[in-house]
Amino acid sequence: MVGMVLVGSSVSVSHALVDAPLFTAQAVRYAAATAILLFLARLAGTRPVWPRGQEWLWLAGLAVTGLLLFNVAVVRGVAHAEPAVIAVAVASVPVVLGVLGPLLERRPPSRQVLLAAPVVVAGAVLVEGTGRTDAAGVAWAALALGCEAAFTLLAVPVLGRHTPWGVSVHASWLGAVLFAVLGVKREGPMAAGELTAKQWAAVGYLALLVTAVAFVLWYSTVRTVGTGRAGLLTGIAPLAAAAVGTATGTGAPRSWVWLGIAVVIGGLIGGLRAPWAHGAAASVDAAPRTASSPTSTRSR
């Protein structure tokens, strides 16, 4: 929940980077996040291991989709659609994770999650509202949705061996390399010198809290409660965005926003609480914590 609040807060912070060289700023962000993650991992007594074999494909795919293409889809998408359109698409992630996530974890989707996911999405839609768009805007929104889901789904096969710390480190440095290559080609090798003090502050906030801290919190939650239930927490991000928008002076939420907040909270409560009928059902939904989970049987 804390991680999703940080992600939601990034909406306002990212406004400072509108005029900044996009690829270069993101390269600096993920490079700084990598250094922070390595330092924090050492304090936590863990050391990321080097990927091997097919793990490179999972981690590279995660970096390309969840970091590179997602950021491009959001930036290009708002040129064709109101930000609410992109946000509502991303808010549909619980439905995708509720179905595909458990299948990757080799267990059937939880009925509780499947019932709660549309409720969370409906609440997020109410919070963000609807907006104007065109065909290109819809396409960018769909790409953002797929990339946001891939950020979680592609991590499932490697979370066991690499732990949330390792996945976060490798995703960050791979993202930094991808953005750096694009930055040098599209913006020039000296583009970092164009960043203002305010933009450097925004990059620092995104690197520390929205990347380093939020990544570890998110992947820890995915490994603990499963992708289906963790996916419901993405509904918190629009709520945080609305709250930050209010705090920064964009206006108090209207009545439909409060209704959306209530709907999201109801969906989260219904989807995250322990199943009420049978104790066995709880163990199924929490499969990643058991020895039968494919992520927990790998060596650590």
Side-chain angles (χ1 to χ4, degrees), residues 107-188:
R107 58 188 178 88
S110 165
R111 177 197 238 172
Q112 186 175 340
V113 170
L114 291 180
L115 292 175
V119 177
V120 174
V121 171
V125 169
L126 286 172
V127 172
E128 292 292 345
T130 57
R132 296 181 303 275
T133 185
D134 55 22
V138 173
W140 284 118
L143 178 60
L145 166 61
C147 291
E148 180 68 11
F151 178 73
T152 298
L153 295 176
L154 294 179
V156 172
V158 293
L159 266 176
R161 178 171 179 263
H162 287 277
T163 76
W165 288 101
V167 173
S168 299
V169 167
H170 292 308
S172 294
W173 76 258
L174 285 169
V177 171
L178 291 171
F179 277 112
V181 171
L182 288 174
V184 170
K185 284 189 174 183
R186 300 290 297 273
E187 300 161 348

Side-chain angles (χ1 to χ4, degrees), residues 1-297:
M1 293 176 70
V2 171
M4 285 300 102
V5 169
L6 293 173
V7 170
S9 71
S10 69
V11 175
S12 295
V13 175
S14 295
H15 281 302
L17 300 177
V18 170
D19 298 323
L22 172 64
F23 298 121
T24 300
Q26 295 292 346
V28 173
R29 165 191 176 179
Y30 288 115
T34 301
I36 295 170
L37 281 165
L38 289 172
F39 174 73
L40 294 178
R42 185 163 188 174
L43 291 181
T46 183
R47 177 178 297 178
V49 296
W50 202 244
R52 62 191 182 192
Q54 292 186 345
E55 293 175 348
W56 281 109
L57 297 178
W58 294 109
L59 291 168
L62 189 160
V64 170
T65 57
L67 303 188
L68 178 62
L69 289 180
F70 176 77
N71 281 286
V72 172
V74 171
V75 173
R76 297 291 180 258
V78 295
H80 295 270
E82 292 184 4
V85 174
I86 309 298
V88 167
V90 175
S92 300
V93 166
V95 175
V96 179
L97 295 185
V99 176
L100 297 182
L103 295 180
L104 283 177
E105 294 165 355
R106 300 178 186 177
R107 58 188 178 88
S110 165
R111 177 197 238 172
Q112 186 175 340
V113 170
L114 291 180
L115 292 175
V119 177
V120 174
V121 171
V125 169
L126 286 172
V127 172
E128 292 292 345
T130 57
R132 296 181 303 275
T133 185
D134 55 22
V138 173
W140 284 118
L143 178 60
L145 166 61
C147 291
E148 180 68 11
F151 178 73
T152 298
L153 295 176
L154 294 179
V156 172
V158 293
L159 266 176
R161 178 171 179 263
H162 287 277
T163 76
W165 288 101
V167 173
S168 299
V169 167
H170 292 308
S172 294
W173 76 258
L174 285 169
V177 171
L178 291 171
F179 277 112
V181 171
L182 288 174
V184 170
K185 284 189 174 183
R186 300 290 297 273
E187 300 161 348
M190 305 302 293
E194 301 176 14
L195 295 173
T196 66
K198 183 178 180 180
Q199 291 168 343
W200 277 109
V203 167
Y205 179 89
L206 293 173
L208 174 60
L209 296 179
V210 182
T211 305
V213 174
F215 276 23
V216 173
L217 293 176
W218 177 249
Y219 286 132
S220 297
T221 302
V222 169
R223 190 175 67 164
T224 302
V225 305
T227 53
R229 295 176 74 191
L232 296 174
L233 294 172
T234 59
I236 294 176
L239 306 187
V244 171
T246 301
T248 54
T250 58
R254 292 175 287 178
S255 57
W256 58 267
V257 174
W258 292 114
L259 175 61
I261 290 174
V263 172
V264 170
I265 291 174
L268 291 173
I269 292 175
L272 294 175
R273 68 175 178 172
W276 55 88
H278 303 287
S283 64
V284 170
D285 197 50
R289 288 181 291 184
T290 68
S292 61
S293 167
T295 59
S296 62
T297 55

